[in-house]
Amino acid sequence: MHAMIPTAFRRLRPAGLLLACGASLLAMLPAAHAAKPAPPLNPPAALEEVASSSTSAWDRVVVLPDGRLLVELPRWAGNSGPGLAVLDASGNPQPYPDATWNDPAAPASSRFVAPADMQLQPDGTLWVLDSGQPDPAGRPLEGGPKIVKLDTKGQRVLQTWPLNPDMLRAGSYAATMRVARGHAFVGDGGVPAMIVVQLDTNIQRRLMEHTPALTAHQPITVEGKVATNPAGHTAIVNISQMDVSADGQWLYFEPLCGPVYKLDTDLLVDPDVTPIELEEGPTLWYKTPPLGGITVGPDGTLYFNDVSTGSIFRLMPDRVYQKIVTDPRLHWPAGSFATKDGQLYVPAAQLDRTAPLNGGTNAIQWPVHIYRINIGNLPPPKF
């Protein structure tokens, strides 16, 4: 979610009106590609606690090649200290890749100001999106919004790509990112759009501005409660989650409230594609509830982290959709990570209890946890 909060301060509507409008808009969406719902997994998948914290709220996790957990600590959640941290043997966060890149006194262009998303590729390359915006209601720091490429084996920064100022609008927030096919695809969660960066040339294009697939049409509900911003209005978060297929062909994304869309990256990497083609390109993939994370598993299965009920669903390559677990410990399951050997790591982030989504009051119930689910040996659905 991390990357998702700043829109909570924008696009304010009364909750009742938004619910009505959101419901009618969603009803007008085209039917998702045929999927077969299966009964919930019985018994449900087991949760194994692997880390906890009584001081830091984590909203994303990846597992480094050496097995350590790398976590993102969003500024808007009230965190202090490093924005990106690796958990040491005692579970304590240590700045990553080093203290210099997390030093608030360093220039914004050469440090992590406010990391918003991260992606670990199979070769150990880590990509980090820095929103450059520590204050959700403010403006990004000059030189702050950027893409950072790191070598996790050498634990060092390799290159940065600053986002051009003309790629952002007043109210923009660089919220989520995936890298594939020599491009970075950045979702603007403040003024909904897709920013595409060709990495070898640094040519940047802003596409799909206000496309309905990128734009929130519903409120965020957790256990029946509508999330509200510090002003008491309904919190709205546009595009906030992404993942990409292993071959880089398909980009899956959603506004926090759902639903999930699928987009052929051919449309994003080809500069000759027309705005109309881009507008019509996203396919409604599944009408999900509000999600804190989308993860593509080793076999292409999609895992959806449902914040409304504390559940994890899987959408399998054969289009079977199934709940694999619901558990009160999964309070706001956020940005998860699937390993090659079939382990899904899920932070229970409690983001609805942070000030930007809880009417200005931080009510996190410490500690927060990261859980592991063995998805490699889940039985097939039974109908």
Side-chain angles (χ1 to χ4, degrees):
M1 143 78 175
H2 52 0
M4 315 170 299
I5 297 301
T7 345
F9 291 87
R10 309 183 185 101
R11 301 186 175 278
L12 308 179
R13 300 176 177 88
L17 176 61
L18 184 63
L19 279 163
C21 293
S24 60
L25 282 168
L26 198 58
M28 293 163 53
L29 290 169
H33 190 65
K36 184 177 182 180
L41 188 66
N42 187 20
L47 302 181
E48 177 188 0
E49 182 183 321
V50 295
S52 64
S53 174
S54 295
T55 58
S56 303
W58 309 321
D59 69 340
R60 296 191 186 272
V61 62
V62 301
V63 182
L64 295 175
D66 61 10
R68 293 180 299 167
L69 299 185
L70 182 69
V71 294
E72 181 181 282
L73 297 86
R75 295 289 184 219
W76 47 259
N79 289 311
S80 58
L84 206 62
V86 65
L87 302 186
D88 63 20
S90 300
N92 298 313
Q94 304 299 329
Y96 192 90
D98 53 37
T100 300
W101 265 88
N102 288 271
D103 182 358
S109 60
S110 56
R111 67 176 170 97
F112 289 128
V113 176
D117 202 356
M118 56 183 176
Q119 174 191 2
L120 181 67
Q121 295 186 320
D123 65 356
T125 301
L126 178 71
W127 296 87
V128 177
L129 174 67
D130 187 352
S131 71
Q133 192 167 331
D135 178 4
R139 296 176 58 84
L141 302 185
E142 184 176 353
K146 56 188 173 292
I147 299 162
V148 184
K149 178 183 180 182
L150 300 96
D151 169 24
T152 59
K153 296 173 183 177
Q155 197 163 315
R156 60 194 178 95
V157 171
L158 298 175
Q159 191 173 349
T160 62
W161 289 260
L163 291 183
N164 295 339
D166 59 358
M167 290 295 102
L168 304 174
R169 305 285 184 261
S172 282
Y173 186 83
T176 183
M177 178 190 71
R178 283 299 179 265
V179 174
R181 303 181 65 183
H183 292 72
F185 309 114
V186 177
D188 184 341
V191 181
M194 195 76 75
I195 300 168
V196 178
V197 180
Q198 186 172 337
L199 296 170
D200 60 349
T201 63
N202 198 27
I203 293 174
Q204 303 184 16
R205 296 178 295 140
R206 184 178 174 90
L207 309 172
M208 303 174 68
E209 187 163 303
H210 294 296
T211 294
L214 306 179
T215 306
H217 300 297
Q218 302 183 101
I220 304 154
T221 57
V222 180
E223 298 177 348
K225 179 183 176 181
V226 174
T228 57
N229 65 17
H233 298 285
T234 302
I236 303 300
V237 182
N238 297 305
I239 179 171
S240 64
Q241 304 292 339
M242 266 190 208
D243 210 349
V244 66
S245 60
D247 61 3
Q249 192 66 51
W250 300 103
L251 191 66
Y252 302 94
F253 61 86
E254 56 119 22
L256 198 154
C257 60
V260 171
Y261 289 85
K262 178 181 179 180
L263 179 65
D264 191 335
T265 55
D266 282 347
L267 297 173
L268 296 174
V269 302
D270 184 354
D272 294 327
V273 170
T274 67
I276 292 177
E277 289 175 303
L278 284 166
E279 179 88 11
E280 298 178 348
T283 297
L284 175 60
W285 203 233
Y286 208 87
K287 292 182 180 179
T288 60
L291 300 182
I294 301 172
T295 306
V296 178
D299 64 349
T301 294
L302 289 172
Y303 293 89
F304 299 145
N305 300 347
D306 172 11
V307 304
S308 66
T309 62
S311 303
I312 309 292
F313 290 82
R314 60 176 173 175
L315 180 61
M316 305 171 75
D318 60 1
R319 301 294 295 154
V320 172
Y321 185 72
Q322 183 184 42
K323 180 191 296 183
I324 65 170
V325 62
T326 297
D327 194 296
R329 291 175 293 174
L330 290 173
H331 195 98
W332 196 293
S336 52
F337 182 81
T339 64
K340 293 180 182 178
D341 62 352
Q343 302 296 317
L344 184 70
Y345 289 76
V346 186
Q350 301 188 40
L351 296 184
D352 61 303
R353 293 171 176 163
T354 62
L357 292 177
N358 191 43
T361 301
N362 191 323
I364 290 179
Q365 298 177 14
W366 305 102
V368 298
H369 303 281
I370 296 175
Y371 296 99
R372 179 167 57 204
I373 302 172
N374 187 346
I375 56 175
N377 66 354
L378 295 181
K382 296 179 181 179
F383 293 93

